[in-house]
PDB file of all heavy atoms in Angstrom:
ATOM      1  N   PRO N   1      16.341  -0.587  -3.506  1.00 96.00           N
ATOM      2  CA  PRO N   1      16.450   0.285  -4.666  1.00 96.00           C
ATOM      3  C   PRO N   1      15.583   1.567  -4.642  1.00 96.00           C
ATOM      4  O   PRO N   1      16.055   2.513  -5.344  1.00 96.00           O
ATOM      5  CB  PRO N   1      15.984  -0.587  -5.798  1.00 96.00           C
ATOM      6  CG  PRO N   1      15.103  -1.743  -5.118  1.00 96.00           C
ATOM      7  CD  PRO N   1      15.698  -1.960  -3.811  1.00 96.00           C
ATOM      8  N   LEU N   2      14.619   1.695  -3.826  1.00 97.00           N
ATOM      9  CA  LEU N   2      13.862   2.883  -3.666  1.00 97.00           C
ATOM     10  C   LEU N   2      14.696   3.976  -3.033  1.00 97.00           C
ATOM     11  O   LEU N   2      14.428   5.231  -3.262  1.00 97.00           O
ATOM     12  CB  LEU N   2      12.650   2.652  -2.720  1.00 97.00           C
ATOM     13  CG  LEU N   2      11.573   1.677  -3.363  1.00 97.00           C
ATOM     14  CD1 LEU N   2      10.444   1.505  -2.355  1.00 97.00           C
ATOM     15  CD2 LEU N   2      11.082   2.137  -4.624  1.00 97.00           C
ATOM     16  N   ASP N   3      15.830   3.607  -2.406  1.00 97.00           N
ATOM     17  CA  ASP N   3      16.586   4.639  -1.840  1.00 97.00           C
ATOM     18  C   ASP N   3      17.390   5.558  -2.917  1.00 97.00           C
ATOM     19  O   ASP N   3      18.033   6.544  -2.679  1.00 97.00           O
ATOM     20  CB  ASP N   3      17.729   3.999  -0.820  1.00 97.00           C
ATOM     21  CG  ASP N   3      17.015   3.628   0.477  1.00 97.00           C
ATOM     22  OD1 ASP N   3      15.987   4.055   0.769  1.00 97.00           O
ATOM     23  OD2 ASP N   3      17.822   2.798   1.222  1.00 97.00           O
ATOM     24  N   ASP N   4      17.313   5.087  -4.141  1.00 96.00           N
ATOM     25  CA  ASP N   4      17.892   5.809  -5.260  1.00 96.00           C
ATOM     26  C   ASP N   4      16.873   6.290  -6.262  1.00 96.00           C
ATOM     27  O   ASP N   4      17.028   6.376  -7.374  1.00 96.00           O
ATOM     28  CB  ASP N   4      18.942   4.861  -6.036  1.00 96.00           C
ATOM     29  CG  ASP N   4      19.689   5.680  -7.140  1.00 96.00           C
ATOM     30  OD1 ASP N   4      19.820   6.990  -6.864  1.00 96.00           O
ATOM     31  OD2 ASP N   4      20.222   5.133  -8.125  1.00 96.00           O
ATOM     32  N   SER N   5      15.831   6.677  -5.527  1.00 96.00           N
ATOM     33  CA  SER N   5      14.567   7.156  -6.372  1.00 96.00           C
ATOM     34  C   SER N   5      14.017   8.332  -5.545  1.00 96.00           C
ATOM     35  O   SER N   5      14.271   8.680  -4.438  1.00 96.00           O
ATOM     36  CB  SER N   5      13.564   6.102  -6.496  1.00 96.00           C
ATOM     37  OG  SER N   5      12.777   5.946  -5.299  1.00 96.00           O
ATOM     38  N   ALA N   6      13.027   9.004  -6.287  1.00 96.00           N
ATOM     39  CA  ALA N   6      12.411  10.114  -5.612  1.00 96.00           C
ATOM     40  C   ALA N   6      11.128   9.697  -4.881  1.00 96.00           C
ATOM     41  O   ALA N   6      10.228  10.554  -4.419  1.00 96.00           O
ATOM     42  CB  ALA N   6      11.835  11.114  -6.784  1.00 96.00           C
ATOM     43  N   VAL N   7      10.939   8.360  -4.754  1.00 97.00           N
ATOM     44  CA  VAL N   7       9.792   7.854  -3.914  1.00 97.00           C
ATOM     45  C   VAL N   7      10.036   8.260  -2.480  1.00 97.00           C
ATOM     46  O   VAL N   7      11.157   7.837  -1.961  1.00 97.00           O
ATOM     47  CB  VAL N   7       9.614   6.369  -4.175  1.00 97.00           C
ATOM     48  CG1 VAL N   7       8.508   5.849  -3.134  1.00 97.00           C
ATOM     49  CG2 VAL N   7       9.212   6.042  -5.519  1.00 97.00           C
ATOM     50  N   HIS N   8       9.220   8.804  -1.763  1.00 98.00           N
ATOM     51  CA  HIS N   8       9.465   9.178  -0.362  1.00 98.00           C
ATOM     52  C   HIS N   8       9.391   7.996   0.513  1.00 98.00           C
ATOM     53  O   HIS N   8       8.526   7.058   0.363  1.00 98.00           O
ATOM     54  CB  HIS N   8       8.363  10.198   0.114  1.00 98.00           C
ATOM     55  CG  HIS N   8       8.654  10.993   1.332  1.00 98.00           C
ATOM     56  ND1 HIS N   8       8.725  10.407   2.617  1.00 98.00           N
ATOM     57  CD2 HIS N   8       9.217  12.217   1.427  1.00 98.00           C
ATOM     58  CE1 HIS N   8       9.109  11.296   3.421  1.00 98.00           C
ATOM     59  NE2 HIS N   8       9.455  12.514   2.756  1.00 98.00           N
ATOM     60  N   PRO N   9      10.218   7.948   1.569  1.00 98.00           N
ATOM     61  CA  PRO N   9      10.262   6.685   2.436  1.00 98.00           C
ATOM     62  C   PRO N   9       8.944   6.458   3.095  1.00 98.00           C
ATOM     63  O   PRO N   9       8.596   5.279   3.409  1.00 98.00           O
ATOM     64  CB  PRO N   9      11.273   7.162   3.491  1.00 98.00           C
ATOM     65  CG  PRO N   9      12.110   8.021   2.935  1.00 98.00           C
ATOM     66  CD  PRO N   9      11.360   8.827   1.831  1.00 98.00           C
ATOM     67  N   GLU N  10       8.070   7.534   3.225  1.00 97.00           N
ATOM     68  CA  GLU N  10       6.791   7.280   3.832  1.00 97.00           C
ATOM     69  C   GLU N  10       5.793   6.462   2.944  1.00 97.00           C
ATOM     70  O   GLU N  10       4.758   6.039   3.339  1.00 97.00           O
ATOM     71  CB  GLU N  10       6.114   8.521   4.105  1.00 97.00           C
ATOM     72  CG  GLU N  10       5.702   9.517   3.042  1.00 97.00           C
ATOM     73  CD  GLU N  10       5.251  10.958   3.249  1.00 97.00           C
ATOM     74  OE1 GLU N  10       5.321  11.297   4.537  1.00 97.00           O
ATOM     75  OE2 GLU N  10       4.909  11.523   2.401  1.00 97.00           O
ATOM     76  N   ARG N  11       6.244   6.239   1.653  1.00 97.00           N
ATOM     77  CA  ARG N  11       5.423   5.465   0.730  1.00 97.00           C
ATOM     78  C   ARG N  11       6.106   4.137   0.314  1.00 97.00           C
ATOM     79  O   ARG N  11       5.612   3.513  -0.593  1.00 97.00           O
ATOM     80  CB  ARG N  11       5.164   6.293  -0.637  1.00 97.00           C
ATOM     81  CG  ARG N  11       4.497   7.650  -0.316  1.00 97.00           C
ATOM     82  CD  ARG N  11       3.189   7.535   0.296  1.00 97.00           C
ATOM     83  NE  ARG N  11       2.580   8.888   0.545  1.00 97.00           N
ATOM     84  CZ  ARG N  11       1.954   9.056   1.626  1.00 97.00           C
ATOM     85  NH1 ARG N  11       1.650   8.216   2.567  1.00 97.00           N
ATOM     86  NH2 ARG N  11       1.457  10.368   1.800  1.00 97.00           N
ATOM     87  N   TYR N  12       7.188   3.812   1.054  1.00 98.00           N
ATOM     88  CA  TYR N  12       7.827   2.504   0.762  1.00 98.00           C
ATOM     89  C   TYR N  12       6.856   1.303   0.964  1.00 98.00           C
ATOM     90  O   TYR N  12       6.785   0.399   0.143  1.00 98.00           O
ATOM     91  CB  TYR N  12       9.071   2.302   1.625  1.00 98.00           C
ATOM     92  CG  TYR N  12      10.307   3.115   1.147  1.00 98.00           C
ATOM     93  CD1 TYR N  12      10.196   4.077   0.121  1.00 98.00           C
ATOM     94  CD2 TYR N  12      11.523   2.771   1.783  1.00 98.00           C
ATOM     95  CE1 TYR N  12      11.297   4.758  -0.223  1.00 98.00           C
ATOM     96  CE2 TYR N  12      12.741   3.517   1.382  1.00 98.00           C
ATOM     97  CZ  TYR N  12      12.492   4.494   0.310  1.00 98.00           C
ATOM     98  OH  TYR N  12      13.699   5.190   0.038  1.00 98.00           O
ATOM     99  N   ALA N  13       6.125   1.360   1.971  1.00 97.00           N
ATOM    100  CA  ALA N  13       5.208   0.308   2.407  1.00 97.00           C
ATOM    101  C   ALA N  13       4.151   0.188   1.270  1.00 97.00           C
ATOM    102  O   ALA N  13       3.748  -0.934   0.932  1.00 97.00           O
ATOM    103  CB  ALA N  13       4.504   0.474   3.708  1.00 97.00           C
ATOM    104  N   LEU N  14       3.673   1.271   0.702  1.00 97.00           N
ATOM    105  CA  LEU N  14       2.733   1.220  -0.361  1.00 97.00           C
ATOM    106  C   LEU N  14       3.351   0.569  -1.598  1.00 97.00           C
ATOM    107  O   LEU N  14       2.564  -0.341  -2.265  1.00 97.00           O
ATOM    108  CB  LEU N  14       2.347   2.666  -0.764  1.00 97.00           C
ATOM    109  CG  LEU N  14       1.370   2.922  -1.950  1.00 97.00           C
ATOM    110  CD1 LEU N  14       0.035   2.266  -1.731  1.00 97.00           C
ATOM    111  CD2 LEU N  14       1.248   4.319  -2.249  1.00 97.00           C
ATOM    112  N   VAL N  15       4.525   0.931  -1.994  1.00 97.00           N
ATOM    113  CA  VAL N  15       5.259   0.300  -3.145  1.00 97.00           C
ATOM    114  C   VAL N  15       5.437  -1.320  -2.908  1.00 97.00           C
ATOM    115  O   VAL N  15       5.264  -2.103  -3.745  1.00 97.00           O
ATOM    116  CB  VAL N  15       6.556   0.974  -3.432  1.00 97.00           C
ATOM    117  CG1 VAL N  15       7.249   0.242  -4.538  1.00 97.00           C
ATOM    118  CG2 VAL N  15       6.345   2.420  -3.726  1.00 97.00           C
ATOM    119  N   GLN N  16       5.688  -1.588  -1.561  1.00 97.00           N
ATOM    120  CA  GLN N  16       5.905  -3.063  -1.177  1.00 97.00           C
ATOM    121  C   GLN N  16       4.600  -3.738  -1.408  1.00 97.00           C
ATOM    122  O   GLN N  16       4.574  -4.829  -1.871  1.00 97.00           O
ATOM    123  CB  GLN N  16       6.334  -3.050   0.277  1.00 97.00           C
ATOM    124  CG  GLN N  16       6.477  -4.447   0.731  1.00 97.00           C
ATOM    125  CD  GLN N  16       7.767  -5.224   0.162  1.00 97.00           C
ATOM    126  OE1 GLN N  16       8.819  -4.722   0.290  1.00 97.00           O
ATOM    127  NE2 GLN N  16       7.534  -6.282  -0.387  1.00 97.00           N
ATOM    128  N   THR N  17       3.493  -3.093  -1.109  1.00 97.00           N
ATOM    129  CA  THR N  17       2.174  -3.732  -1.264  1.00 97.00           C
ATOM    130  C   THR N  17       1.788  -3.959  -2.763  1.00 97.00           C
ATOM    131  O   THR N  17       1.389  -4.986  -3.149  1.00 97.00           O
ATOM    132  CB  THR N  17       1.083  -2.883  -0.641  1.00 97.00           C
ATOM    133  OG1 THR N  17       1.272  -2.667   0.693  1.00 97.00           O
ATOM    134  CG2 THR N  17      -0.294  -3.568  -0.782  1.00 97.00           C
ATOM    135  N   MET N  18       2.267  -2.895  -3.561  1.00 97.00           N
ATOM    136  CA  MET N  18       2.020  -3.057  -4.927  1.00 97.00           C
ATOM    137  C   MET N  18       2.872  -4.284  -5.580  1.00 97.00           C
ATOM    138  O   MET N  18       2.309  -4.982  -6.366  1.00 97.00           O
ATOM    139  CB  MET N  18       2.462  -1.696  -5.635  1.00 97.00           C
ATOM    140  CG  MET N  18       1.532  -0.478  -5.507  1.00 97.00           C
ATOM    141  SD  MET N  18       2.291   0.935  -6.295  1.00 97.00           S
ATOM    142  CE  MET N  18       0.946   2.152  -6.091  1.00 97.00           C
ATOM    143  N   ALA N  19       4.120  -4.256  -5.181  1.00 96.00           N
ATOM    144  CA  ALA N  19       4.979  -5.351  -5.661  1.00 96.00           C
ATOM    145  C   ALA N  19       4.402  -6.772  -5.271  1.00 96.00           C
ATOM    146  O   ALA N  19       4.409  -7.735  -5.974  1.00 96.00           O
ATOM    147  CB  ALA N  19       6.338  -5.132  -5.119  1.00 96.00           C
ATOM    148  N   LYS N  20       3.960  -6.883  -3.943  1.00 96.00           N
ATOM    149  CA  LYS N  20       3.424  -8.087  -3.435  1.00 96.00           C
ATOM    150  C   LYS N  20       2.262  -8.620  -4.194  1.00 96.00           C
ATOM    151  O   LYS N  20       2.043  -9.688  -4.511  1.00 96.00           O
ATOM    152  CB  LYS N  20       3.149  -7.835  -1.871  1.00 96.00           C
ATOM    153  CG  LYS N  20       2.721  -9.147  -1.252  1.00 96.00           C
ATOM    154  CD  LYS N  20       2.413  -8.907   0.186  1.00 96.00           C
ATOM    155  CE  LYS N  20       1.900 -10.162   0.973  1.00 96.00           C
ATOM    156  NZ  LYS N  20       1.613  -9.848   2.282  1.00 96.00           N
ATOM    157  N   ASN N  21       1.326  -7.501  -4.476  1.00 96.00           N
ATOM    158  CA  ASN N  21       0.064  -7.887  -5.180  1.00 96.00           C
ATOM    159  C   ASN N  21       0.331  -8.277  -6.675  1.00 96.00           C
ATOM    160  O   ASN N  21      -0.360  -8.965  -7.275  1.00 96.00           O
ATOM    161  CB  ASN N  21      -0.868  -6.637  -5.303  1.00 96.00           C
ATOM    162  CG  ASN N  21      -1.403  -6.293  -3.871  1.00 96.00           C
ATOM    163  OD1 ASN N  21      -1.366  -7.180  -2.957  1.00 96.00           O
ATOM    164  ND2 ASN N  21      -1.832  -5.128  -3.692  1.00 96.00           N
ATOM    165  N   LYS N  22       1.526  -7.931  -7.278  1.00 94.00           N
ATOM    166  CA  LYS N  22       1.890  -8.325  -8.577  1.00 94.00           C
ATOM    167  C   LYS N  22       2.802  -9.559  -8.502  1.00 94.00           C
ATOM    168  O   LYS N  22       3.216 -10.137  -9.529  1.00 94.00           O
ATOM    169  CB  LYS N  22       2.724  -7.205  -9.214  1.00 94.00           C
ATOM    170  CG  LYS N  22       1.787  -6.170  -9.743  1.00 94.00           C
ATOM    171  CD  LYS N  22       0.982  -6.596 -10.893  1.00 94.00           C
ATOM    172  CE  LYS N  22       0.030  -5.646 -11.251  1.00 94.00           C
ATOM    173  NZ  LYS N  22      -0.985  -6.119 -12.239  1.00 94.00           N
ATOM    174  N   GLY N  23       3.033  -9.997  -7.344  1.00 94.00           N
ATOM    175  CA  GLY N  23       3.796 -11.273  -7.060  1.00 94.00           C
ATOM    176  C   GLY N  23       5.307 -11.199  -7.475  1.00 94.00           C
ATOM    177  O   GLY N  23       5.943 -12.052  -7.906  1.00 94.00           O
ATOM    178  N   VAL N  24       5.890  -9.905  -7.400  1.00 95.00           N
ATOM    179  CA  VAL N  24       7.287  -9.711  -7.644  1.00 95.00           C
ATOM    180  C   VAL N  24       7.897  -8.929  -6.459  1.00 95.00           C
ATOM    181  O   VAL N  24       7.307  -8.286  -5.750  1.00 95.00           O
ATOM    182  CB  VAL N  24       7.438  -8.878  -9.025  1.00 95.00           C
ATOM    183  CG1 VAL N  24       6.926  -9.632 -10.088  1.00 95.00           C
ATOM    184  CG2 VAL N  24       6.808  -7.521  -8.908  1.00 95.00           C
ATOM    185  N   ALA N  25       9.298  -8.919  -6.493  1.00 95.00           N
ATOM    186  CA  ALA N  25      10.101  -8.171  -5.573  1.00 95.00           C
ATOM    187  C   ALA N  25      10.086  -6.677  -6.087  1.00 95.00           C
ATOM    188  O   ALA N  25       9.916  -6.447  -7.169  1.00 95.00           O
ATOM    189  CB  ALA N  25      11.497  -8.688  -5.485  1.00 95.00           C
ATOM    190  N   ILE N  26      10.248  -5.734  -5.172  1.00 95.00           N
ATOM    191  CA  ILE N  26      10.319  -4.305  -5.562  1.00 95.00           C
ATOM    192  C   ILE N  26      11.404  -4.126  -6.617  1.00 95.00           C
ATOM    193  O   ILE N  26      11.108  -3.430  -7.696  1.00 95.00           O
ATOM    194  CB  ILE N  26      10.706  -3.462  -4.341  1.00 95.00           C
ATOM    195  CG1 ILE N  26       9.515  -3.500  -3.261  1.00 95.00           C
ATOM    196  CG2 ILE N  26      11.106  -2.034  -4.708  1.00 95.00           C
ATOM    197  CD1 ILE N  26       9.878  -2.578  -2.095  1.00 95.00           C
ATOM    198  N   LYS N  27      12.623  -4.748  -6.498  1.00 94.00           N
ATOM    199  CA  LYS N  27      13.582  -4.543  -7.568  1.00 94.00           C
ATOM    200  C   LYS N  27      13.150  -4.984  -8.946  1.00 94.00           C
ATOM    201  O   LYS N  27      13.646  -4.505 -10.093  1.00 94.00           O
ATOM    202  CB  LYS N  27      14.927  -5.304  -7.211  1.00 94.00           C
ATOM    203  CG  LYS N  27      14.805  -6.740  -7.136  1.00 94.00           C
ATOM    204  CD  LYS N  27      16.238  -7.257  -6.675  1.00 94.00           C
ATOM    205  CE  LYS N  27      16.223  -8.818  -6.498  1.00 94.00           C
ATOM    206  NZ  LYS N  27      15.816  -9.509  -7.814  1.00 94.00           N
ATOM    207  N   ASP N  28      12.297  -6.028  -8.974  1.00 94.00           N
ATOM    208  CA  ASP N  28      11.778  -6.511 -10.241  1.00 94.00           C
ATOM    209  C   ASP N  28      10.560  -5.670 -10.798  1.00 94.00           C
ATOM    210  O   ASP N  28      10.174  -5.699 -11.929  1.00 94.00           O
ATOM    211  CB  ASP N  28      11.224  -7.968 -10.114  1.00 94.00           C
ATOM    212  CG  ASP N  28      12.468  -8.794  -9.742  1.00 94.00           C
ATOM    213  OD1 ASP N  28      13.555  -8.696 -10.186  1.00 94.00           O
ATOM    214  OD2 ASP N  28      12.363  -9.784  -8.812  1.00 94.00           O
ATOM    215  N   LEU N  29       9.913  -4.951  -9.898  1.00 95.00           N
ATOM    216  CA  LEU N  29       8.807  -4.055 -10.247  1.00 95.00           C
ATOM    217  C   LEU N  29       9.402  -2.660 -10.991  1.00 95.00           C
ATOM    218  O   LEU N  29       8.765  -2.266 -11.866  1.00 95.00           O
ATOM    219  CB  LEU N  29       7.848  -3.590  -9.090  1.00 95.00           C
ATOM    220  CG  LEU N  29       6.711  -2.773  -9.307  1.00 95.00           C
ATOM    221  CD1 LEU N  29       5.682  -3.569 -10.108  1.00 95.00           C
ATOM    222  CD2 LEU N  29       6.103  -2.390  -8.013  1.00 95.00           C
ATOM    223  N   ILE N  30      10.488  -2.349 -10.392  1.00 95.00           N
ATOM    224  CA  ILE N  30      11.175  -1.090 -10.832  1.00 95.00           C
ATOM    225  C   ILE N  30      11.564  -1.314 -12.424  1.00 95.00           C
ATOM    226  O   ILE N  30      12.281  -2.259 -12.682  1.00 95.00           O
ATOM    227  CB  ILE N  30      12.386  -0.640 -10.071  1.00 95.00           C
ATOM    228  CG1 ILE N  30      11.946  -0.231  -8.730  1.00 95.00           C
ATOM    229  CG2 ILE N  30      13.182   0.472 -10.748  1.00 95.00           C
ATOM    230  CD1 ILE N  30      13.040   0.076  -7.695  1.00 95.00           C
ATOM    231  N   GLY N  31      11.156  -0.374 -13.211  1.00 93.00           N
ATOM    232  CA  GLY N  31      11.448  -0.418 -14.654  1.00 93.00           C
ATOM    233  C   GLY N  31      10.714  -1.461 -15.494  1.00 93.00           C
ATOM    234  O   GLY N  31      10.791  -1.513 -16.694  1.00 93.00           O
ATOM    235  N   ASN N  32       9.742  -2.078 -14.772  1.00 94.00           N
ATOM    236  CA  ASN N  32       8.889  -3.015 -15.399  1.00 94.00           C
ATOM    237  C   ASN N  32       7.600  -2.339 -15.921  1.00 94.00           C
ATOM    238  O   ASN N  32       6.674  -2.313 -15.293  1.00 94.00           O
ATOM    239  CB  ASN N  32       8.571  -4.291 -14.516  1.00 94.00           C
ATOM    240  CG  ASN N  32       7.745  -5.351 -15.136  1.00 94.00           C
ATOM    241  OD1 ASN N  32       7.071  -5.131 -16.306  1.00 94.00           O
ATOM    242  ND2 ASN N  32       7.924  -6.513 -14.584  1.00 94.00           N
ATOM    243  N   LYS N  33       7.727  -1.770 -17.120  1.00 92.00           N
ATOM    244  CA  LYS N  33       6.717  -0.878 -17.603  1.00 92.00           C
ATOM    245  C   LYS N  33       5.350  -1.600 -17.636  1.00 92.00           C
ATOM    246  O   LYS N  33       4.291  -1.031 -17.321  1.00 92.00           O
ATOM    247  CB  LYS N  33       7.053  -0.334 -18.954  1.00 92.00           C
ATOM    248  CG  LYS N  33       6.203   0.891 -19.355  1.00 92.00           C
ATOM    249  CD  LYS N  33       6.849   1.635 -20.517  1.00 92.00           C
ATOM    250  CE  LYS N  33       5.861   2.893 -20.818  1.00 92.00           C
ATOM    251  NZ  LYS N  33       6.480   3.622 -22.029  1.00 92.00           N
TER     252      LYS N  33
END
């Protein structure tokens, strides 16, 4: 889902880490205010 965002591919791993630390998949982190 990050491919339809303004997040740069060089930061995908960072977002993956954020999602992992929250115990959710990236798609479930997106829009989860």
Side-chain angles (χ1 to χ4, degrees):
L2 295 178
D3 285 347
D4 189 23
S5 76
V7 177
H8 199 286
E10 67 188 6
R11 303 298 176 221
Y12 282 10
L14 173 64
V15 177
Q16 180 69 56
T17 302
M18 287 178 175
K20 186 179 178 182
N21 291 344
K22 283 293 170 185
V24 297
I26 289 177
K27 66 181 176 62
D28 298 320
L29 184 63
I30 290 173
N32 188 337
K33 195 170 183 181

